Each structure stands twice: as C-alpha cells, then as structure tokens.
Amino acid sequence: MDNFAFIIHPIDVDDASRKFKFMKNWPDNLIEGILKLLPPVKVSHITGVKSEYNEVEGWFVGCPLTTRQMMTLPETFVLNKIIKAGKLAEKLGAKIVGLGAFTSVVGDAGITIAKNLKIAVTSGNSYTVATAIEGAKEAAKLMGKDIKNAEVVVIGATGSIGKVCSQILAKEARYLTLVGRNTEKLEAVAEKILRETGLSARITSNVKNALKKADVVITVTSSVDTIIEPEDLKPGAVVCDVSRPRDVSKEVAEKRDDVLIIEGGVVEVPGDVNFNFNFGFEPKTAYACMAETMILALEKRYENFSLGRDLTVEQVEEISRLAKKHGFKLAGFRSFERPVTKEHIEKVKRNAEAKLKSTL
C-alpha cells in the first residue's frame, strides 16, 4: 500500500505534560531538558485515508522538542533531530514524509532535511496557503465582506507562505497591505506583485498601524509570541491565523465578540480515516499541511514538493487541483480549539454592526 509519515512536535511544555501526566507539576526547564534527550518516536498508525483513486496509510512521528527549543537551540542540533525523525519514518516504510509546525520552519525550510533522507519530503505549505485563502474568503463572505473591495492585510508577507498568499490575493483584492520586519524584502514582494498583477500593494513593518483599517487579515509569522491584541482590530474584522504558535492573543477571543478569528488550514480527509491520536480536531479532519502529505501519497507523487522559502503560485494551484480530485475539502472553521458555527458568525456580525452604529 502507498504510505506516508508526518512529523509532529509539542508546541509547548503543556503539550508534553498532557501526553506524559507524571510531568504535570514539573518546571518547564526540567521538561524541556528531558525532551532534549529523548529520541524521535512513532506516535500512531494512521489508517483509512481513501479516495476514489487510491488508499494510503501512514504514521505520526514525534520529534520531542518544543517550539521554543526549535527556535533557540543550535540549528544543527535541531535539524539533526528532525532528520532522525525522518529516518524513523523511512524505517517504518513511509515513501514521503511531511514536516509539521516548526519542523518546516527551522533552517532552510526542509531542503537540508530532504538532502539527508532517502524518501520525499514536503512542508505541506502549498495546501496550507490554498486552504487559508479559501477559508479567509469564505469567512469574509459570511461576514458580508467582498474580498475585492476589502482592506486586505498579510502579516508575515516575506515568509514562504505569506509571500505566495500575497501574490494570489493580489489577483482579486484592490487594497492590499504587506507587513513584515524587513522593508527591503517587502519592497521586493511588492514589486513582484506590481509586475505580475498591476496592483500597487502598500508595505509596512508596523503591525498595529496595518491592522487599524483591516477588514481581512491573513497572519502567518514564525513569531513565538502573539502579535495581535484586542485593541488592534476594528469591528467586523476577519482574521485567519495560520501560525503555530498563534499570532492572535487568546484575549482577542475573550474580549472582542465583534471580530471573527479563524484558524487556517483545517480540512476534511476522505475515507474512514483514523489518526489513532487526538490532536484536538473533530474526527476525520486534519491540518492542511498533513493533508498535503496524504494527497501526494494518494497520487503516488513521491517527490519533494513544498520546500524552501520560495513557494510558487503554480504549486498552490497544483495541490488544490489534486486535493479536489481526491476529495479533500475545507472543514468549516475553527477558532481557539473550537468549531465555529454559522450561528456564531451571525452573532459576531450583529455585534460588529451594533458597535459601528454606536460610534457614528
């Protein structure tokens, strides 16, 4: 049978202590110290991923480092640990391995990892882009906004996901602002967009200023800390947070009932899939990056796919086409670990309208 593996890791020490209950009251530095010493492990066997054309099975492989460790430990140490996780995937029999969360961010975004493995590698970022844009557009529509006339902001616009998101959105949006830390890189993205689409995108390194007028936001930074706070957003704003850890503070959900926050890249997997591991989603749903690995296995495309910092619009369009062929689709919306219902969206919309009226 065709098969795949997907590398996961604890986002923070709370993830580790939830998995290993005996660590519950241990200090963070002790938990991270132990994680650093542990080898990669097989977490679960994934069965039942089935489309009209093929059926595949796979494995979750755990790389025991938190996000903070991935960003602060020496890069060589982290890459070696991810490569060891990839070699475990090889040993299990996987023909392609996907890089989850920060394992796709460290170093050169998967290129070095691929060079050290005998199987194909993908970050899953192309399908993450496709579903983030689809989700943001759909959520905006439900909130009564037309992406063509909305103030659209991409935060992290110089990263591999943010850059191609900006290029695709520029084909539809009239008002686009690119946000990033490096002005020179932002200018390069804006110039590329101008050449390809004729749209003159604004650029800024100031997140707060960019958010003041934003109707639709896609945020996709590799920041370890949150960067969007309750006071930053205008009533009725729609934010698609693709980042892990999140870019949007939990306080936004607690204090702002007039803005809609959704997570990017949650999809329904075809077949009677059983992940045999609870990562907090509804049954038969997964992150888009996981899904991309499954799609390539279903298609027998055992080749490196979404690697490096330069994803292309063509890659996003190709994986979208293959996803539709095999029956993958957007799985509604989620926000802060919970499904978002249409009733909730209607309530947010009403709250936003009331708040806007009260300020007239």
Side-chain angles (χ1 to χ4, degrees), residues 157-160 162-168 170-171 176 178 183-201 203 309-315:
T158 59
S160 60
K163 189 160 53 180
V164 78
C165 265
S166 304
Q167 289 175 254
I168 294 171
K171 293 180 179 179
L176 178 64
L178 313 178
T183 304
E184 200 173 314
K185 288 182 178 177
L186 283 172
E187 286 173 348
V189 178
E191 284 173 14
K192 186 174 176 61
I193 286 172
L194 183 61
R195 282 198 308 274
E196 292 176 348
T197 67
L199 180 73
S200 179
I203 64 168
R309 307 287 180 202
D310 292 308
L311 296 179
T312 66
V313 173
E314 290 73 23
Q315 280 175 306

PDB file of all heavy atoms in Angstrom, residues 157-160 162-168 170-171 176 178 183-201 203 309-315:
ATOM      1  N   ALA A 157       4.458  38.737   5.309  1.00  0.00           N
ATOM      2  CA  ALA A 157       4.343  38.677   3.851  1.00  0.00           C
ATOM      3  C   ALA A 157       5.644  38.327   3.140  1.00  0.00           C
ATOM      4  O   ALA A 157       5.639  38.100   1.930  1.00  0.00           O
ATOM      5  CB  ALA A 157       3.807  40.003   3.319  1.00  0.00           C
ATOM      6  N   THR A 158       6.770  38.292   3.865  1.00  0.00           N
ATOM      7  CA  THR A 158       8.026  37.934   3.204  1.00  0.00           C
ATOM      8  C   THR A 158       8.409  36.479   3.451  1.00  0.00           C
ATOM      9  O   THR A 158       9.390  35.991   2.904  1.00  0.00           O
ATOM     10  CB  THR A 158       9.191  38.835   3.684  1.00  0.00           C
ATOM     11  OG1 THR A 158       9.325  38.689   5.096  1.00  0.00           O
ATOM     12  CG2 THR A 158       8.928  40.285   3.336  1.00  0.00           C
ATOM     13  N   GLY A 159       7.624  35.773   4.271  1.00  0.00           N
ATOM     14  CA  GLY A 159       7.888  34.348   4.513  1.00  0.00           C
ATOM     15  C   GLY A 159       7.374  33.501   3.350  1.00  0.00           C
ATOM     16  O   GLY A 159       6.701  34.003   2.447  1.00  0.00           O
ATOM     17  N   SER A 160       7.670  32.203   3.376  1.00  0.00           N
ATOM     18  CA  SER A 160       7.313  31.343   2.236  1.00  0.00           C
ATOM     19  C   SER A 160       5.802  31.273   2.037  1.00  0.00           C
ATOM     20  O   SER A 160       5.314  31.314   0.903  1.00  0.00           O
ATOM     21  CB  SER A 160       7.889  29.937   2.427  1.00  0.00           C
ATOM     22  OG  SER A 160       7.393  29.340   3.591  1.00  0.00           O
ATOM     23  N   GLY A 162       3.455  33.517   3.481  1.00  0.00           N
ATOM     24  CA  GLY A 162       2.914  34.866   3.338  1.00  0.00           C
ATOM     25  C   GLY A 162       3.146  35.453   1.951  1.00  0.00           C
ATOM     26  O   GLY A 162       2.278  36.151   1.410  1.00  0.00           O
ATOM     27  N   LYS A 163       4.301  35.172   1.385  1.00  0.00           N
ATOM     28  CA  LYS A 163       4.636  35.746   0.078  1.00  0.00           C
ATOM     29  C   LYS A 163       3.686  35.232  -1.013  1.00  0.00           C
ATOM     30  O   LYS A 163       3.135  36.013  -1.777  1.00  0.00           O
ATOM     31  CB  LYS A 163       6.092  35.393  -0.256  1.00  0.00           C
ATOM     32  CG  LYS A 163       6.628  36.099  -1.462  1.00  0.00           C
ATOM     33  CD  LYS A 163       8.158  36.117  -1.498  1.00  0.00           C
ATOM     34  CE  LYS A 163       8.772  34.758  -1.342  1.00  0.00           C
ATOM     35  NZ  LYS A 163      10.241  34.758  -1.376  1.00  0.00           N
ATOM     36  N   VAL A 164       3.502  33.923  -1.067  1.00  0.00           N
ATOM     37  CA  VAL A 164       2.646  33.382  -2.116  1.00  0.00           C
ATOM     38  C   VAL A 164       1.169  33.686  -1.838  1.00  0.00           C
ATOM     39  O   VAL A 164       0.384  33.883  -2.767  1.00  0.00           O
ATOM     40  CB  VAL A 164       2.929  31.869  -2.324  1.00  0.00           C
ATOM     41  CG1 VAL A 164       2.290  31.025  -1.254  1.00  0.00           C
ATOM     42  CG2 VAL A 164       2.493  31.416  -3.706  1.00  0.00           C
ATOM     43  N   CYS A 165       0.792  33.774  -0.554  1.00  0.00           N
ATOM     44  CA  CYS A 165      -0.567  34.228  -0.197  1.00  0.00           C
ATOM     45  C   CYS A 165      -0.810  35.617  -0.785  1.00  0.00           C
ATOM     46  O   CYS A 165      -1.859  35.896  -1.375  1.00  0.00           O
ATOM     47  CB  CYS A 165      -0.718  34.330   1.330  1.00  0.00           C
ATOM     48  SG  CYS A 165      -1.416  32.890   2.123  1.00  0.00           S
ATOM     49  N   SER A 166       0.174  36.495  -0.617  1.00  0.00           N
ATOM     50  CA  SER A 166       0.055  37.873  -1.110  1.00  0.00           C
ATOM     51  C   SER A 166      -0.085  37.889  -2.626  1.00  0.00           C
ATOM     52  O   SER A 166      -0.909  38.631  -3.175  1.00  0.00           O
ATOM     53  CB  SER A 166       1.283  38.692  -0.697  1.00  0.00           C
ATOM     54  OG  SER A 166       1.457  38.660   0.698  1.00  0.00           O
ATOM     55  N   GLN A 167       0.720  37.073  -3.312  1.00  0.00           N
ATOM     56  CA  GLN A 167       0.671  37.031  -4.779  1.00  0.00           C
ATOM     57  C   GLN A 167      -0.708  36.583  -5.276  1.00  0.00           C
ATOM     58  O   GLN A 167      -1.237  37.130  -6.238  1.00  0.00           O
ATOM     59  CB  GLN A 167       1.727  36.058  -5.307  1.00  0.00           C
ATOM     60  CG  GLN A 167       3.154  36.541  -5.168  1.00  0.00           C
ATOM     61  CD  GLN A 167       4.130  35.457  -5.594  1.00  0.00           C
ATOM     62  OE1 GLN A 167       4.789  34.831  -4.764  1.00  0.00           O
ATOM     63  NE2 GLN A 167       4.217  35.225  -6.883  1.00  0.00           N
ATOM     64  N   ILE A 168      -1.281  35.586  -4.596  1.00  0.00           N
ATOM     65  CA  ILE A 168      -2.588  35.069  -5.031  1.00  0.00           C
ATOM     66  C   ILE A 168      -3.697  36.066  -4.696  1.00  0.00           C
ATOM     67  O   ILE A 168      -4.571  36.346  -5.525  1.00  0.00           O
ATOM     68  CB  ILE A 168      -2.849  33.695  -4.383  1.00  0.00           C
ATOM     69  CG1 ILE A 168      -1.841  32.676  -4.923  1.00  0.00           C
ATOM     70  CG2 ILE A 168      -4.280  33.227  -4.652  1.00  0.00           C
ATOM     71  CD1 ILE A 168      -1.853  31.342  -4.215  1.00  0.00           C
ATOM     72  N   ALA A 170      -3.467  39.200  -4.451  1.00  0.00           N
ATOM     73  CA  ALA A 170      -3.324  40.394  -5.291  1.00  0.00           C
ATOM     74  C   ALA A 170      -4.092  40.278  -6.600  1.00  0.00           C
ATOM     75  O   ALA A 170      -4.379  41.290  -7.247  1.00  0.00           O
ATOM     76  CB  ALA A 170      -1.850  40.659  -5.571  1.00  0.00           C
ATOM     77  N   LYS A 171      -4.423  39.057  -6.992  1.00  0.00           N
ATOM     78  CA  LYS A 171      -5.189  38.870  -8.228  1.00  0.00           C
ATOM     79  C   LYS A 171      -6.643  39.315  -8.064  1.00  0.00           C
ATOM     80  O   LYS A 171      -7.341  39.562  -9.033  1.00  0.00           O
ATOM     81  CB  LYS A 171      -5.158  37.392  -8.652  1.00  0.00           C
ATOM     82  CG  LYS A 171      -3.779  36.903  -9.072  1.00  0.00           C
ATOM     83  CD  LYS A 171      -3.855  35.438  -9.476  1.00  0.00           C
ATOM     84  CE  LYS A 171      -2.506  34.917  -9.924  1.00  0.00           C
ATOM     85  NZ  LYS A 171      -2.551  33.497 -10.309  1.00  0.00           N
ATOM     86  N   LEU A 176      -4.344  46.079  -0.766  1.00  0.00           N
ATOM     87  CA  LEU A 176      -3.532  45.040  -0.121  1.00  0.00           C
ATOM     88  C   LEU A 176      -2.347  45.682   0.588  1.00  0.00           C
ATOM     89  O   LEU A 176      -1.610  46.486   0.002  1.00  0.00           O
ATOM     90  CB  LEU A 176      -3.030  44.055  -1.185  1.00  0.00           C
ATOM     91  CG  LEU A 176      -2.113  42.920  -0.718  1.00  0.00           C
ATOM     92  CD1 LEU A 176      -2.860  41.980   0.235  1.00  0.00           C
ATOM     93  CD2 LEU A 176      -1.599  42.111  -1.924  1.00  0.00           C
ATOM     94  N   LEU A 178       1.117  44.716   2.804  1.00  0.00           N
ATOM     95  CA  LEU A 178       2.059  43.663   3.172  1.00  0.00           C
ATOM     96  C   LEU A 178       2.815  44.085   4.423  1.00  0.00           C
ATOM     97  O   LEU A 178       3.351  45.196   4.480  1.00  0.00           O
ATOM     98  CB  LEU A 178       3.049  43.424   2.040  1.00  0.00           C
ATOM     99  CG  LEU A 178       2.477  43.282   0.622  1.00  0.00           C
ATOM    100  CD1 LEU A 178       3.605  43.098  -0.386  1.00  0.00           C
ATOM    101  CD2 LEU A 178       1.504  42.117   0.563  1.00  0.00           C
ATOM    102  N   THR A 183      12.035  45.703   5.488  1.00  0.00           N
ATOM    103  CA  THR A 183      11.450  46.581   4.458  1.00  0.00           C
ATOM    104  C   THR A 183      11.970  46.250   3.060  1.00  0.00           C
ATOM    105  O   THR A 183      11.214  46.289   2.086  1.00  0.00           O
ATOM    106  CB  THR A 183      11.763  48.053   4.791  1.00  0.00           C
ATOM    107  OG1 THR A 183      11.276  48.318   6.111  1.00  0.00           O
ATOM    108  CG2 THR A 183      11.092  48.990   3.813  1.00  0.00           C
ATOM    109  N   GLU A 184      13.237  45.920   2.957  1.00  0.00           N
ATOM    110  CA  GLU A 184      13.828  45.609   1.647  1.00  0.00           C
ATOM    111  C   GLU A 184      13.137  44.393   1.024  1.00  0.00           C
ATOM    112  O   GLU A 184      12.805  44.373  -0.165  1.00  0.00           O
ATOM    113  CB  GLU A 184      15.320  45.335   1.834  1.00  0.00           C
ATOM    114  CG  GLU A 184      16.120  45.468   0.551  1.00  0.00           C
ATOM    115  CD  GLU A 184      17.614  45.366   0.818  1.00  0.00           C
ATOM    116  OE1 GLU A 184      18.115  46.003   1.772  1.00  0.00           O
ATOM    117  OE2 GLU A 184      18.266  44.638   0.069  1.00  0.00           O
ATOM    118  N   LYS A 185      12.910  43.365   1.843  1.00  0.00           N
ATOM    119  CA  LYS A 185      12.238  42.155   1.341  1.00  0.00           C
ATOM    120  C   LYS A 185      10.778  42.458   0.985  1.00  0.00           C
ATOM    121  O   LYS A 185      10.236  41.940   0.011  1.00  0.00           O
ATOM    122  CB  LYS A 185      12.308  41.027   2.384  1.00  0.00           C
ATOM    123  CG  LYS A 185      13.689  40.427   2.545  1.00  0.00           C
ATOM    124  CD  LYS A 185      13.663  39.283   3.550  1.00  0.00           C
ATOM    125  CE  LYS A 185      15.031  38.639   3.683  1.00  0.00           C
ATOM    126  NZ  LYS A 185      15.040  37.573   4.703  1.00  0.00           N
ATOM    127  N   LEU A 186      10.134  43.331   1.787  1.00  0.00           N
ATOM    128  CA  LEU A 186       8.749  43.719   1.491  1.00  0.00           C
ATOM    129  C   LEU A 186       8.667  44.425   0.144  1.00  0.00           C
ATOM    130  O   LEU A 186       7.757  44.181  -0.649  1.00  0.00           O
ATOM    131  CB  LEU A 186       8.213  44.649   2.588  1.00  0.00           C
ATOM    132  CG  LEU A 186       7.787  44.008   3.904  1.00  0.00           C
ATOM    133  CD1 LEU A 186       7.467  45.093   4.928  1.00  0.00           C
ATOM    134  CD2 LEU A 186       6.588  43.092   3.708  1.00  0.00           C
ATOM    135  N   GLU A 187       9.620  45.297  -0.109  1.00  0.00           N
ATOM    136  CA  GLU A 187       9.647  46.020  -1.385  1.00  0.00           C
ATOM    137  C   GLU A 187       9.787  45.049  -2.554  1.00  0.00           C
ATOM    138  O   GLU A 187       9.157  45.218  -3.601  1.00  0.00           O
ATOM    139  CB  GLU A 187      10.797  47.029  -1.384  1.00  0.00           C
ATOM    140  CG  GLU A 187      10.518  48.254  -0.510  1.00  0.00           C
ATOM    141  CD  GLU A 187      11.736  49.164  -0.375  1.00  0.00           C
ATOM    142  OE1 GLU A 187      12.841  48.735  -0.766  1.00  0.00           O
ATOM    143  OE2 GLU A 187      11.565  50.287   0.123  1.00  0.00           O
ATOM    144  N   ALA A 188      10.595  44.017  -2.361  1.00  0.00           N
ATOM    145  CA  ALA A 188      10.796  43.030  -3.433  1.00  0.00           C
ATOM    146  C   ALA A 188       9.492  42.276  -3.730  1.00  0.00           C
ATOM    147  O   ALA A 188       9.143  42.044  -4.898  1.00  0.00           O
ATOM    148  CB  ALA A 188      11.893  42.044  -3.029  1.00  0.00           C
ATOM    149  N   VAL A 189       8.751  41.909  -2.659  1.00  0.00           N
ATOM    150  CA  VAL A 189       7.466  41.220  -2.857  1.00  0.00           C
ATOM    151  C   VAL A 189       6.476  42.152  -3.549  1.00  0.00           C
ATOM    152  O   VAL A 189       5.770  41.758  -4.484  1.00  0.00           O
ATOM    153  CB  VAL A 189       6.881  40.719  -1.507  1.00  0.00           C
ATOM    154  CG1 VAL A 189       5.529  40.057  -1.728  1.00  0.00           C
ATOM    155  CG2 VAL A 189       7.840  39.756  -0.827  1.00  0.00           C
ATOM    156  N   ALA A 190       6.432  43.423  -3.102  1.00  0.00           N
ATOM    157  CA  ALA A 190       5.503  44.399  -3.694  1.00  0.00           C
ATOM    158  C   ALA A 190       5.819  44.635  -5.163  1.00  0.00           C
ATOM    159  O   ALA A 190       4.906  44.752  -5.995  1.00  0.00           O
ATOM    160  CB  ALA A 190       5.568  45.706  -2.903  1.00  0.00           C
ATOM    161  N   GLU A 191       7.093  44.703  -5.505  1.00  0.00           N
ATOM    162  CA  GLU A 191       7.484  44.915  -6.909  1.00  0.00           C
ATOM    163  C   GLU A 191       7.071  43.724  -7.780  1.00  0.00           C
ATOM    164  O   GLU A 191       6.605  43.883  -8.903  1.00  0.00           O
ATOM    165  CB  GLU A 191       8.995  45.133  -6.994  1.00  0.00           C
ATOM    166  CG  GLU A 191       9.431  46.524  -6.543  1.00  0.00           C
ATOM    167  CD  GLU A 191      10.938  46.670  -6.469  1.00  0.00           C
ATOM    168  OE1 GLU A 191      11.662  45.804  -7.009  1.00  0.00           O
ATOM    169  OE2 GLU A 191      11.383  47.653  -5.848  1.00  0.00           O
ATOM    170  N   LYS A 192       7.248  42.527  -7.229  1.00  0.00           N
ATOM    171  CA  LYS A 192       6.849  41.311  -7.969  1.00  0.00           C
ATOM    172  C   LYS A 192       5.341  41.323  -8.226  1.00  0.00           C
ATOM    173  O   LYS A 192       4.877  41.011  -9.331  1.00  0.00           O
ATOM    174  CB  LYS A 192       7.247  40.069  -7.150  1.00  0.00           C
ATOM    175  CG  LYS A 192       7.026  38.741  -7.854  1.00  0.00           C
ATOM    176  CD  LYS A 192       7.586  37.597  -7.003  1.00  0.00           C
ATOM    177  CE  LYS A 192       7.314  36.242  -7.607  1.00  0.00           C
ATOM    178  NZ  LYS A 192       7.910  36.045  -8.927  1.00  0.00           N
ATOM    179  N   ILE A 193       4.583  41.700  -7.197  1.00  0.00           N
ATOM    180  CA  ILE A 193       3.118  41.766  -7.335  1.00  0.00           C
ATOM    181  C   ILE A 193       2.721  42.813  -8.370  1.00  0.00           C
ATOM    182  O   ILE A 193       1.836  42.597  -9.199  1.00  0.00           O
ATOM    183  CB  ILE A 193       2.474  42.063  -5.955  1.00  0.00           C
ATOM    184  CG1 ILE A 193       2.550  40.807  -5.081  1.00  0.00           C
ATOM    185  CG2 ILE A 193       1.034  42.543  -6.104  1.00  0.00           C
ATOM    186  CD1 ILE A 193       2.113  41.034  -3.643  1.00  0.00           C
ATOM    187  N   LEU A 194       3.393  43.962  -8.339  1.00  0.00           N
ATOM    188  CA  LEU A 194       3.090  45.024  -9.303  1.00  0.00           C
ATOM    189  C   LEU A 194       3.342  44.540 -10.734  1.00  0.00           C
ATOM    190  O   LEU A 194       2.531  44.772 -11.634  1.00  0.00           O
ATOM    191  CB  LEU A 194       3.941  46.259  -8.993  1.00  0.00           C
ATOM    192  CG  LEU A 194       3.699  47.485  -9.867  1.00  0.00           C
ATOM    193  CD1 LEU A 194       2.255  47.984  -9.735  1.00  0.00           C
ATOM    194  CD2 LEU A 194       4.671  48.611  -9.507  1.00  0.00           C
ATOM    195  N   ARG A 195       4.463  43.842 -10.920  1.00  0.00           N
ATOM    196  CA  ARG A 195       4.803  43.334 -12.267  1.00  0.00           C
ATOM    197  C   ARG A 195       3.775  42.300 -12.739  1.00  0.00           C
ATOM    198  O   ARG A 195       3.363  42.282 -13.889  1.00  0.00           O
ATOM    199  CB  ARG A 195       6.190  42.675 -12.256  1.00  0.00           C
ATOM    200  CG  ARG A 195       7.357  43.626 -12.283  1.00  0.00           C
ATOM    201  CD  ARG A 195       8.632  42.893 -12.708  1.00  0.00           C
ATOM    202  NE  ARG A 195       8.899  41.689 -11.948  1.00  0.00           N
ATOM    203  CZ  ARG A 195       9.545  41.653 -10.799  1.00  0.00           C
ATOM    204  NH1 ARG A 195      10.013  42.769 -10.277  1.00  0.00           N
ATOM    205  NH2 ARG A 195       9.750  40.514 -10.166  1.00  0.00           N
ATOM    206  N   GLU A 196       3.367  41.419 -11.811  1.00  0.00           N
ATOM    207  CA  GLU A 196       2.512  40.295 -12.206  1.00  0.00           C
ATOM    208  C   GLU A 196       1.037  40.653 -12.309  1.00  0.00           C
ATOM    209  O   GLU A 196       0.298  40.064 -13.107  1.00  0.00           O
ATOM    210  CB  GLU A 196       2.689  39.142 -11.206  1.00  0.00           C
ATOM    211  CG  GLU A 196       4.077  38.500 -11.277  1.00  0.00           C
ATOM    212  CD  GLU A 196       4.271  37.426 -10.221  1.00  0.00           C
ATOM    213  OE1 GLU A 196       3.434  37.329  -9.297  1.00  0.00           O
ATOM    214  OE2 GLU A 196       5.261  36.692 -10.333  1.00  0.00           O
ATOM    215  N   THR A 197       0.583  41.605 -11.471  1.00  0.00           N
ATOM    216  CA  THR A 197      -0.861  41.865 -11.409  1.00  0.00           C
ATOM    217  C   THR A 197      -1.240  43.321 -11.691  1.00  0.00           C
ATOM    218  O   THR A 197      -2.412  43.619 -11.910  1.00  0.00           O
ATOM    219  CB  THR A 197      -1.417  41.503 -10.015  1.00  0.00           C
ATOM    220  OG1 THR A 197      -0.875  42.423  -9.048  1.00  0.00           O
ATOM    221  CG2 THR A 197      -1.047  40.079  -9.612  1.00  0.00           C
ATOM    222  N   GLY A 198      -0.278  44.214 -11.593  1.00  0.00           N
ATOM    223  CA  GLY A 198      -0.582  45.637 -11.772  1.00  0.00           C
ATOM    224  C   GLY A 198      -1.061  46.294 -10.486  1.00  0.00           C
ATOM    225  O   GLY A 198      -1.321  47.494 -10.464  1.00  0.00           O
ATOM    226  N   LEU A 199      -1.183  45.514  -9.404  1.00  0.00           N
ATOM    227  CA  LEU A 199      -1.645  46.084  -8.126  1.00  0.00           C
ATOM    228  C   LEU A 199      -0.473  46.692  -7.365  1.00  0.00           C
ATOM    229  O   LEU A 199       0.564  46.042  -7.181  1.00  0.00           O
ATOM    230  CB  LEU A 199      -2.299  44.992  -7.260  1.00  0.00           C
ATOM    231  CG  LEU A 199      -2.809  45.482  -5.898  1.00  0.00           C
ATOM    232  CD1 LEU A 199      -4.064  46.325  -6.070  1.00  0.00           C
ATOM    233  CD2 LEU A 199      -3.085  44.304  -4.962  1.00  0.00           C
ATOM    234  N   SER A 200      -0.659  47.911  -6.876  1.00  0.00           N
ATOM    235  CA  SER A 200       0.359  48.570  -6.067  1.00  0.00           C
ATOM    236  C   SER A 200       0.054  48.311  -4.590  1.00  0.00           C
ATOM    237  O   SER A 200      -0.812  48.958  -4.001  1.00  0.00           O
ATOM    238  CB  SER A 200       0.357  50.083  -6.349  1.00  0.00           C
ATOM    239  OG  SER A 200       1.326  50.718  -5.549  1.00  0.00           O
ATOM    240  N   ALA A 201       0.740  47.329  -4.018  1.00  0.00           N
ATOM    241  CA  ALA A 201       0.486  46.963  -2.613  1.00  0.00           C
ATOM    242  C   ALA A 201       1.257  47.899  -1.684  1.00  0.00           C
ATOM    243  O   ALA A 201       2.390  48.281  -1.974  1.00  0.00           O
ATOM    244  CB  ALA A 201       0.913  45.518  -2.371  1.00  0.00           C
ATOM    245  N   ILE A 203       3.259  48.685   1.846  1.00  0.00           N
ATOM    246  CA  ILE A 203       4.128  47.888   2.725  1.00  0.00           C
ATOM    247  C   ILE A 203       4.344  48.625   4.037  1.00  0.00           C
ATOM    248  O   ILE A 203       4.346  49.864   4.073  1.00  0.00           O
ATOM    249  CB  ILE A 203       5.490  47.571   2.079  1.00  0.00           C
ATOM    250  CG1 ILE A 203       6.296  48.863   1.819  1.00  0.00           C
ATOM    251  CG2 ILE A 203       5.316  46.782   0.782  1.00  0.00           C
ATOM    252  CD1 ILE A 203       7.746  48.593   1.451  1.00  0.00           C
ATOM    253  N   ARG A 309      12.020  28.588   0.772  1.00  0.00           N
ATOM    254  CA  ARG A 309      11.298  29.836   1.065  1.00  0.00           C
ATOM    255  C   ARG A 309      10.562  30.400  -0.148  1.00  0.00           C
ATOM    256  O   ARG A 309      10.010  31.493  -0.074  1.00  0.00           O
ATOM    257  CB  ARG A 309      12.291  30.894   1.565  1.00  0.00           C
ATOM    258  CG  ARG A 309      13.153  30.459   2.730  1.00  0.00           C
ATOM    259  CD  ARG A 309      12.381  30.400   4.020  1.00  0.00           C
ATOM    260  NE  ARG A 309      13.231  29.984   5.117  1.00  0.00           N
ATOM    261  CZ  ARG A 309      12.785  29.456   6.240  1.00  0.00           C
ATOM    262  NH1 ARG A 309      11.478  29.278   6.412  1.00  0.00           N
ATOM    263  NH2 ARG A 309      13.601  29.089   7.188  1.00  0.00           N
ATOM    264  N   ASP A 310      10.607  29.704  -1.266  1.00  0.00           N
ATOM    265  CA  ASP A 310      10.019  30.264  -2.482  1.00  0.00           C
ATOM    266  C   ASP A 310       8.951  29.349  -3.070  1.00  0.00           C
ATOM    267  O   ASP A 310       9.137  28.761  -4.131  1.00  0.00           O
ATOM    268  CB  ASP A 310      11.114  30.536  -3.516  1.00  0.00           C
ATOM    269  CG  ASP A 310      12.029  31.660  -3.081  1.00  0.00           C
ATOM    270  OD1 ASP A 310      11.505  32.744  -2.726  1.00  0.00           O
ATOM    271  OD2 ASP A 310      13.245  31.447  -3.076  1.00  0.00           O
ATOM    272  N   LEU A 311       7.839  29.231  -2.366  1.00  0.00           N
ATOM    273  CA  LEU A 311       6.705  28.504  -2.933  1.00  0.00           C
ATOM    274  C   LEU A 311       6.195  29.262  -4.147  1.00  0.00           C
ATOM    275  O   LEU A 311       6.323  30.480  -4.227  1.00  0.00           O
ATOM    276  CB  LEU A 311       5.568  28.419  -1.901  1.00  0.00           C
ATOM    277  CG  LEU A 311       5.833  27.638  -0.627  1.00  0.00           C
ATOM    278  CD1 LEU A 311       4.588  27.697   0.253  1.00  0.00           C
ATOM    279  CD2 LEU A 311       6.206  26.211  -0.922  1.00  0.00           C
ATOM    280  N   THR A 312       5.590  28.544  -5.075  1.00  0.00           N
ATOM    281  CA  THR A 312       5.076  29.226  -6.271  1.00  0.00           C
ATOM    282  C   THR A 312       3.552  29.135  -6.330  1.00  0.00           C
ATOM    283  O   THR A 312       2.937  28.228  -5.749  1.00  0.00           O
ATOM    284  CB  THR A 312       5.650  28.585  -7.543  1.00  0.00           C
ATOM    285  OG1 THR A 312       5.149  27.239  -7.646  1.00  0.00           O
ATOM    286  CG2 THR A 312       7.171  28.565  -7.518  1.00  0.00           C
ATOM    287  N   VAL A 313       2.986  30.074  -7.058  1.00  0.00           N
ATOM    288  CA  VAL A 313       1.539  30.060  -7.282  1.00  0.00           C
ATOM    289  C   VAL A 313       1.149  28.749  -7.981  1.00  0.00           C
ATOM    290  O   VAL A 313       0.111  28.154  -7.671  1.00  0.00           O
ATOM    291  CB  VAL A 313       1.121  31.277  -8.131  1.00  0.00           C
ATOM    292  CG1 VAL A 313      -0.354  31.185  -8.506  1.00  0.00           C
ATOM    293  CG2 VAL A 313       1.409  32.571  -7.384  1.00  0.00           C
ATOM    294  N   GLU A 314       2.014  28.289  -8.882  1.00  0.00           N
ATOM    295  CA  GLU A 314       1.735  27.045  -9.628  1.00  0.00           C
ATOM    296  C   GLU A 314       1.639  25.848  -8.680  1.00  0.00           C
ATOM    297  O   GLU A 314       0.797  24.968  -8.860  1.00  0.00           O
ATOM    298  CB  GLU A 314       2.830  26.797 -10.677  1.00  0.00           C
ATOM    299  CG  GLU A 314       2.824  27.770 -11.848  1.00  0.00           C
ATOM    300  CD  GLU A 314       3.337  29.155 -11.465  1.00  0.00           C
ATOM    301  OE1 GLU A 314       4.088  29.268 -10.474  1.00  0.00           O
ATOM    302  OE2 GLU A 314       2.969  30.132 -12.148  1.00  0.00           O
ATOM    303  N   GLN A 315       2.533  25.791  -7.666  1.00  0.00           N
ATOM    304  CA  GLN A 315       2.475  24.684  -6.689  1.00  0.00           C
ATOM    305  C   GLN A 315       1.148  24.698  -5.933  1.00  0.00           C
ATOM    306  O   GLN A 315       0.543  23.649  -5.698  1.00  0.00           O
ATOM    307  CB  GLN A 315       3.627  24.809  -5.677  1.00  0.00           C
ATOM    308  CG  GLN A 315       4.970  24.311  -6.176  1.00  0.00           C
ATOM    309  CD  GLN A 315       6.063  24.585  -5.153  1.00  0.00           C
ATOM    310  OE1 GLN A 315       6.247  25.735  -4.719  1.00  0.00           O
ATOM    311  NE2 GLN A 315       6.773  23.556  -4.763  1.00  0.00           N
TER     312      GLN A 315
END
